[in-house]
Amino acid sequence: MTRPEVTRPAAASAAGKPTRVLVVDDEPQIVRALRINLTARGYHVLTAHDGTAALRAAADGKPDVVVLDLGLPDLDGSEVIAGLRGWSKVPIIVLSARTDSTDKVRALDAGADDYVTKPFGMDELLARLRAAVRRSATGAEGEEAVVSTESFTVDLAAKKVRKDGAEVHLTPTEWGVLEVLVRNRGRLVAQKQLLQEVWGPAYATESHYLRVYLAQLRRKLERTPADPQHLLTEPGMGYRFES
Amino acid sequence: MTRPEVTRPAAASAAGKPTRVLVVDDEPQIVRALRINLTARGYHVLTAHDGTAALRAAADGKPDVVVLDLGLPDLDGSEVIAGLRGWSKVPIIVLSARTDSTDKVRALDAGADDYVTKPFGMDELLARLRAAVRRSATGAEGEEAVVSTESFTVDLAAKKVRKDGAEVHLTPTEWGVLEVLVRNRGRLVAQKQLLQEVWGPAYATESHYLRVYLAQLRRKLERTPADPQHLLTEPGMGYRFES
DNA sequence: GATGGGCGTCAAGGGCGCGTCAAGGCGCAC
DNA sequence: GTGCGCCTTGACGCGCCCTTGACGCCCATC
């Protein structure tokens, strides 16, 4: 049984909260151009015009990535990097007009993740930004992938389910159904979509499978399987997981 | 808690094993220049001159970082990136003579970590390489080097296993399987992932290997091999180590 | 009140994945 | 050459899990 990996085009938000970008530059037109481009692609943009404000904004705003110009009026670029790296591992992409190799080396060794020279292509900067965010996302994953209800908890990364503290064993298909519903928690999942994601595109009409497996999941997880509180049926449409 | 980072000229090895770099390029003079520079700085250098060899070398050599030229004779660059990303998170730094912005975007979105255009400054490449290695290292660090159960203990750093005080001898493959499971302790490891990380990407479907080796590990480590407490099977899905 | 579709429940059987044992083959050290 | 691990491969039995069918209930429609 092949479970088709959903490969969606990387968006600024993976169906969750938007990615937060801190843009640090003292040239208003650069900040403005970045803000427009990033906002249009669904990012949430914070800005700072000097190093002191940048450090404060990074602490307050918890950005997912920082775009940092090196030519700031108050602090040297490597001081800003060091100030961030003292307490945060947030990816830093350095912007600079200086093409000198020693500047690049110094910034990268100070803790920057990438270095882009001005003038830069917006496409390239956005691609490097996506790469930086992707990297830090894959590392931080698996920590907060736990979804809880008053009856049971689902750990998406560990593929574990607990009910009243005890581990509940699920078969691969049971897990497949539950995983799709939990990843779309709060939203209605159409029968066709559920069948295609778990069983494959050829099974889009085998709705009887869903009845059998939803019954099994309810029997294993719900407190009152006959009156489910979390694995809900939307008659004629599909199923929904509510926490 | 601030740890005053000593800004030392980052060495290729932090008093441990040398960092392994896989250099992929079909131009001998580039490979040669990189080999000389990297070896002089304490890196261990692997080389490949086409995409097929690169994928094989990556599976066999387990490099810590890959430097990949895009203009290879046999495979397209993004194919190589995709082939690596299918089973590995190793940092990839792309080298290319093409300065076109769309090439950069394509490579980065395919999964590359950085993009350097030829001709490149050796200092800059080395700094980007240090940055890539530093990033992937900070994520992997901080794990307990010794993991214990009531039956046996695993020392990940020393590659040693003890049961009731006595050292247990493991073959290389047995260790490979155990190491992947222990590093993902508590989490389910899919059969495919386990096979790819231990045997390489070409062995993703040889699930019979796993049955043989899990049986051997259980016979050597579990108190009751027929009823394992720590090396658990999740039928149809994979295996899990529980302490 | 009759009827049909959608849903939930239960049970049976058959396939397939898993564990187990063992033999062959290859590389490597002596 | 010879012996010894170690990896690979095959055969086989067992238990679990997916599939499928039958049946009753609820509810909307007529």
Side-chain angles (χ1 to χ4, degrees), chain B residues 1 12 19 27 40-41 43 52 79 128 146 153 158 160 163-164 171 188 190 204 212 217 224 233 241:
Chain B
M1 178 179 56
T19 303
E27 299 174 58
R41 283 164 180 81
Y43 292 91
T52 314
E79 289 182 86
R128 289 185 182 273
V146 179
T153 69
K160 267 186 202 165
K163 184 185 180 188
D164 304 328
T171 72
L188 181 104
V212 174
L217 284 171
T224 315
T233 302
F241 171 82

Side-chain angles (χ1 to χ4, degrees), chain A residues 10-242:
Chain A
S13 68
K17 286 144 290 190
T19 304
R20 301 165 67 82
V21 185
L22 173 59
V23 176
V24 186
D25 204 317
D26 61 330
E27 300 174 58
Q29 64 271 30
I30 300 261
V31 174
R32 185 160 168 278
L34 281 171
R35 178 192 285 283
I36 290 171
N37 272 283
L38 290 169
T39 304
R41 283 163 180 80
Y43 293 91
H44 187 257
V45 179
L46 314 167
T47 58
H49 302 93
D50 57 44
T52 315
L55 291 173
R56 187 155 12 94
D60 296 344
K62 306 275 177 194
D64 299 302
V65 57
V66 176
V67 177
L68 173 66
D69 182 85
L70 276 196
L72 295 177
D74 56 341
L75 295 179
D76 182 58
S78 47
E79 291 181 86
V80 181
I81 297 174
L84 280 168
R85 279 288 171 266
W87 61 277
S88 170
K89 287 179 181 169
V90 60
I92 301 173
I93 300 177
V94 166
L95 286 183
S96 172
R98 328 234 338 224
T99 58
D100 188 353
S101 153
T102 59
D103 288 323
K104 297 186 186 180
V105 172
R106 193 178 316 145
L108 290 167
D109 280 342
D113 290 75
D114 207 339
Y115 192 105
V116 180
T117 52
K118 298 196 229 180
F120 55 88
M122 187 57 72
D123 287 345
E124 178 184 344
L125 178 66
L126 289 170
R128 289 186 181 274
L129 198 128
R130 284 194 294 275
V133 171
R134 176 195 342 121
R135 269 196 306 265
S136 66
T138 52
E141 244 172 58
E143 294 174 11
E144 200 56 36
V146 179
V147 179
S148 300
T149 73
E150 49 80 29
S151 170
F152 58 93
T153 69
V154 181
D155 188 331
L156 289 170
K159 283 189 165 44
K160 248 194 260 187
V161 181
R162 289 181 192 282
K163 184 185 180 188
D164 304 328
E167 195 166 322
V168 178
H169 175 74
L170 296 186
T171 72
T173 308
E174 285 165 3
W175 174 259
V177 173
L178 181 63
E179 183 176 20
V180 173
L181 290 176
V182 170
R183 285 198 194 282
N184 292 283
R185 56 184 167 281
R187 290 204 297 268
L188 174 77
V189 182
Q191 299 196 2
K192 189 174 154 192
Q193 180 190 346
L194 199 44
L195 285 162
Q196 289 184 336
E197 289 203 30
V198 177
W199 278 269
Y203 293 76
T205 60
E206 301 278 351
S207 61
H208 187 42
Y209 288 8
L210 292 180
R211 291 198 284 279
V212 174
Y213 277 95
L214 264 296
Q216 288 206 353
L217 284 171
R218 283 167 181 153
R219 185 147 30 85
K220 288 186 176 181
L221 300 178
E222 291 276 5
R223 238 166 250 299
T224 315
D227 176 31
Q229 301 299 307
H230 307 105
L231 298 166
L232 311 177
T233 302
E234 302 278 347
M237 312 193 54
Y239 294 87
R240 176 203 310 276
F241 171 83
E242 281 289 356

